[in-house]
């Protein structure tokens, strides 16, 4: 039996990408499609990706085929939705367009209500797409708050698909704090009621993410540890007690990594490619980068890096303050990212105070990011919370040992280097304080000067399989469980 799965998301690489959701939505459905196409383990899944036809997608020059249009009902009457189709590695991809989407706005608008109208329309249109295609949906998979309305509308009977049985639903949770507040008027204009179930806190009964979590048949967090953390006051965002009532339906599946894009052996962005069998060549990347950034060109000086969105969640301030505690040791640092102006200025101030050893590059630069992973000895990831994270996987794949807070997917992916090293791949610290981070960084800096130990740490990380296949198989198992239930 084939399981027809409708996968809906706000963004997906290579069409459009803003954050980690774009990586997941662009890779996971393709991995599932390829497993099914190769008929491995009789895992037959017809998965189809659905995205809003964002202005940014049109700007990139994608020219999908127009299939037709249908109406999405609102309290003011029907709104036309145009359906476009293309493919991604043989997997069907649909773009949905209409007045709430075709504004020349970013993927995520600064005004919540604009996003509300866009994503409520899109969520309802994604359900209407199934009837338009005359395609039975067995599993509806929504992602984060942007598409949670589809689950809620389906489960509350606001929309019923023209098929004998309604789809089972799966809500993938990438980032709990972003719940979609401020869009209630869009709910009203599309005839979607707030929840009356008192199991939800009153403040959460009109926000799309809690409503999706309330009504989904299964909830999958993007890492096993994050699935546990959201049940606690520190990470539950006020929903922890509600989520505990759903704990039997909550699981965690670790995100994967596009190992074709992130491969130091073939990466075209690097000065010198290398692998586990030619790790000695890696230092040429470091020397090249030091020279380009006018730093002292010496392989024996540890190079520390940070590639991140400049946001308080990412704990950039912890790393910057922590580096100051370590100024009695030799190190160099290159910080790459853009975002919160306060955090950006902290990075600039660090460079101003340490002009001989720090460079702060305040911009988005994908090419430089690849080069930093392939050049630095240590990657800093002191996130206050991290549902999954991809940067730590990339850094280990490139032989750059991560230092990260023990939270979310960082716990699931990094093997802490014990005193015996053994299978360690990086360094974890518990409390999000600069002094705690600095103590772990100092230990890593000392180990950098022990070549045999450091090489083993690098090899341990480079040999871990972070590809999407393992995760994709776990999602297929969830689909099967939903159908069997």
């Amino acid at each position: 039996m084939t399981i027809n799965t409708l996968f809906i998301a706000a963004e997906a690489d290579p069409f459009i990408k803003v954050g980690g959701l774009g990586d997941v939505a662009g890779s996971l459905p393709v991995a599932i499609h390829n497993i099914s196409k190769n008929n491995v383990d009789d895992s037959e899944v017809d998965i189809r990706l659905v995205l809003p036809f964002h202005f940014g997608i049109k700007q990139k020059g994608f020219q999908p085929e127009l299939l037709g249009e249908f109406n999405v009902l609102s309290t003011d009457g029907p709104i036309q939705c145009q359906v476009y189709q293309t493919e991604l590695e043989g997997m069907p991809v649909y773009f949905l367009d209409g007045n709430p989407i075709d504004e020349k706005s970013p993927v995520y608008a600064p005004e919540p209500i604009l996003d509300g109208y866009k994503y409520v329309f899109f969520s309802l249109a994604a359900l209407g797409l199934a009837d338009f295609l005359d395609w039975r949906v067995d599993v509806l998979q929504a992602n984060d708050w942007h598409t949670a309305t589809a689950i809620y509308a389906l489960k509350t009977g606001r929309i019923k698909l023209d098929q004998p049985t309604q789809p089972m639903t799966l809500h993938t949770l990438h980032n709990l704090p972003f719940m979609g507040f401020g869009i209630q008027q869009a709910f009203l204009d599309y005839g979607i009621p707030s929840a009356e179930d008192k199991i939800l806190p009153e403040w959460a009964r009109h926000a799309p993410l809690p409503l999706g979590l309330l009504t989904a048949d299964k909830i999958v967090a993007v890492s096993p540890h994050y699935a546990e953390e959201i049940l606690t006051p520190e990470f539950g965002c006020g929903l922890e007690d509600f989520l505990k009532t759903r704990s039997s339906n909550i699981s965690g599946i670790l995100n994967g990594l596009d190992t074709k894009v992130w491969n130091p052996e073939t990466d075209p962005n690097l000065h010198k490619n290398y692998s586990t069998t030619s790790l000695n060549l890696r230092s040429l990347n470091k020397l090249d980068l030091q020279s380009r950034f006018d730093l002292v060109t010496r392989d024996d000086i540890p190079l520390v890096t940070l590639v991140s969105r400049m946001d308080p969640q990412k704990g950039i301030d912890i790393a910057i303050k922590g580096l100051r505690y370590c100024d009695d040791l030799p190190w160099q640092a290159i910080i790459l990212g853009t975002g919160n102006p306060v955090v950006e200025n902290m990075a600039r101030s660090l460079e101003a105070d340490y002009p001989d050893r720090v460079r702060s590059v305040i911009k988005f630069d994908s090419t430089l990011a690849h080069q930093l992973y392939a050049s630095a000895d240590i990657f800093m990831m002191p996130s206050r919370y991290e549902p999954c994270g991809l940067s730590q996987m990339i850094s280990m794949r490139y032989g750059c040992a991560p230092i990260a807070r023990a939270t979310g997917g960082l716990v699931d992916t990094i093997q802490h280097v014990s005193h015996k090293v053994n299978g360690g791949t990086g360094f974890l610290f518990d409390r999000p304080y600069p002094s705690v981070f600095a103590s772990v960084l100092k230990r890593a800096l000392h180990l950098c000067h022990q070549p045999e130990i450091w090489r083993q740490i690098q090899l341990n990380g480079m040999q871990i399989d972070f590809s999407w296949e393992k995760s994709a198989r776990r999602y297929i198992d969830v689909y099967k469980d939903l159908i069997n239930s």
Side-chain angles (χ1 to χ4, degrees):
M1 173 186 173
T2 299
I3 302 175
N4 292 344
T5 301
L6 193 68
F7 189 104
I8 58 177
E11 56 177 283
D13 195 42
F15 304 108
I16 196 147
K17 173 188 165 183
V18 176
L21 173 59
D23 290 309
V24 176
S27 299
L28 173 58
V30 171
I32 293 171
H33 168 78
N34 288 335
I35 290 173
S36 183
K37 180 179 65 178
N38 296 327
N39 201 27
V40 179
D41 302 330
D42 297 323
S43 302
E44 295 187 22
V45 177
D46 182 355
I47 190 165
R48 304 188 182 191
L49 172 64
V50 189
L51 300 168
F53 202 0
H54 294 292
F55 180 68
I57 299 177
K58 299 171 186 176
Q59 281 185 309
K60 285 187 176 181
F62 289 104
Q63 296 181 325
E65 176 189 2
L66 176 62
L67 297 184
E69 60 184 27
F70 62 89
N71 289 327
V72 175
L73 297 181
S74 74
T75 56
D76 291 332
I79 300 176
Q80 285 188 335
C81 175
Q82 294 81 40
V83 181
Y84 297 83
Q85 181 178 15
T86 187
E87 289 188 351
L88 181 60
E89 296 188 28
M91 177 190 69
V93 178
Y94 301 95
F95 300 122
L96 303 183
D97 206 354
N99 284 336
I101 294 174
D102 66 4
E103 299 292 335
K104 292 183 179 180
S105 64
V107 175
Y108 306 119
E111 300 86 0
I113 191 60
L114 294 180
D115 270 356
Y117 282 114
K118 177 192 297 183
Y119 288 113
V120 171
F121 170 81
F122 171 68
S123 296
L124 300 180
L127 295 174
L129 174 67
D131 288 341
F132 172 82
L133 297 173
D134 192 22
W135 182 67
R136 183 195 78 249
V137 179
D138 299 310
V139 175
L140 169 69
Q141 183 168 355
N143 294 270
D144 274 356
W145 80 260
H146 324 96
T147 51
T149 302
I151 292 177
Y152 183 64
L154 188 67
K155 288 299 184 178
T156 56
R158 163 66 175 80
I159 289 183
K160 288 187 178 181
L161 302 190
D162 186 16
Q163 57 186 58
T165 58
Q166 297 303 294
M168 301 298 287
T169 56
L170 167 62
H171 197 162
T172 302
L173 181 61
H174 302 260
N175 209 335
L176 182 60
F178 295 89
M179 300 189 192
F181 288 112
I183 74 159
Q184 190 170 9
Q185 188 60 48
F187 268 7
L188 295 173
D189 289 351
Y190 283 94
I192 299 172
S194 297
E196 297 181 358
D197 197 326
K198 293 184 179 180
I199 197 171
L200 267 182
E202 186 174 356
W203 56 264
R205 295 175 195 168
H206 58 269
L209 181 64
L211 299 182
L213 298 174
L214 172 69
T215 51
D217 294 305
K218 293 278 188 184
I219 300 167
V220 174
V222 291
S223 71
H225 198 72
Y226 191 55
E228 298 173 359
E229 285 182 335
I230 60 175
L231 304 181
T232 68
E234 183 178 0
F235 299 98
C237 301
L239 292 179
E240 57 273 8
D241 291 337
F242 153 69
L243 289 170
K244 287 176 184 176
T245 69
R246 301 233 56 204
S247 59
S248 62
N249 299 109
I250 299 175
S251 61
I253 299 177
L254 192 68
N255 285 340
L257 187 66
D258 188 334
T259 52
K260 294 179 181 178
V261 172
W262 298 104
N263 184 353
E265 194 168 8
T266 58
D267 191 333
N269 299 290
L270 307 189
H271 173 69
K272 189 68 176 179
N273 293 107
Y274 60 95
S275 67
T276 55
T277 58
S278 57
L279 190 53
N280 59 305
L281 297 176
R282 188 179 188 278
S283 62
L284 298 177
N285 291 299
K286 178 178 177 178
L287 296 172
D288 175 69
L289 205 65
Q290 288 172 322
S291 175
R292 284 165 47 199
F293 279 88
D294 195 26
L295 295 168
V296 175
T297 308
R298 280 175 46 189
D299 185 36
D300 63 338
I301 301 177
L303 177 60
V304 181
T305 192
L306 187 153
V307 179
S308 177
R309 183 177 78 254
M310 295 290 187
D311 186 277
Q313 175 224 325
K314 296 297 184 179
I316 314 299
D317 57 306
I318 296 172
I320 290 174
K321 293 174 183 177
L323 282 168
R324 293 179 181 275
Y325 286 137
C326 301
D327 62 2
D328 58 325
L329 296 175
W331 52 264
Q332 299 167 338
I334 300 177
I335 297 172
L336 172 64
T338 183
N340 186 296
V342 174
V343 182
E344 290 180 353
N345 286 334
M346 290 185 69
R348 292 189 181 98
S349 295
L350 185 70
E351 178 177 353
D353 292 342
Y354 298 91
D356 59 333
R357 60 162 83 183
V358 176
R359 298 292 179 267
S360 294
V361 185
I362 309 301
K363 64 177 181 177
F364 176 85
D365 189 330
S366 177
T367 299
L368 179 57
H370 282 249
Q371 295 166 351
L372 287 169
Y373 287 118
S375 303
D377 300 290
I378 296 170
F379 185 87
M380 300 180 292
M381 201 168 178
S383 304
R384 287 183 164 83
Y385 75 93
E386 194 67 60
C388 179
L390 293 178
S391 295
Q392 80 279 14
M393 301 184 201
I394 298 169
S395 68
M396 286 185 280
R397 183 163 170 78
Y398 278 61
C400 181
I403 294 180
R405 192 191 173 199
T407 183
L410 303 177
V411 174
D412 295 313
T413 50
I414 299 171
Q415 299 297 316
H416 182 66
V417 174
S418 67
H419 292 291
K420 295 182 179 179
V421 180
N422 296 331
T425 63
F427 305 83
L428 294 170
F429 64 97
D430 289 324
R431 292 169 296 167
Y433 305 136
S435 59
V436 179
F437 167 83
S439 67
V440 178
L441 176 58
K442 286 183 177 182
R443 179 167 178 248
L445 291 171
H446 284 299
L447 288 178
C448 273
H449 296 292
Q450 300 181 47
E452 290 187 9
I453 291 177
W454 197 256
R455 183 182 180 86
Q456 188 58 55
I457 294 170
Q458 290 177 298
L459 291 173
N460 290 342
M462 293 178 73
Q463 290 167 350
I464 297 177
D465 180 9
F466 288 122
S467 66
W468 267 108
E469 185 172 346
K470 184 188 300 184
S471 301
R473 291 182 187 279
R474 290 202 59 197
Y475 272 101
I476 291 172
D477 288 339
V478 173
Y479 299 160
K480 290 178 178 178
D481 289 344
L482 283 168
I483 297 303
N484 291 335
S485 65

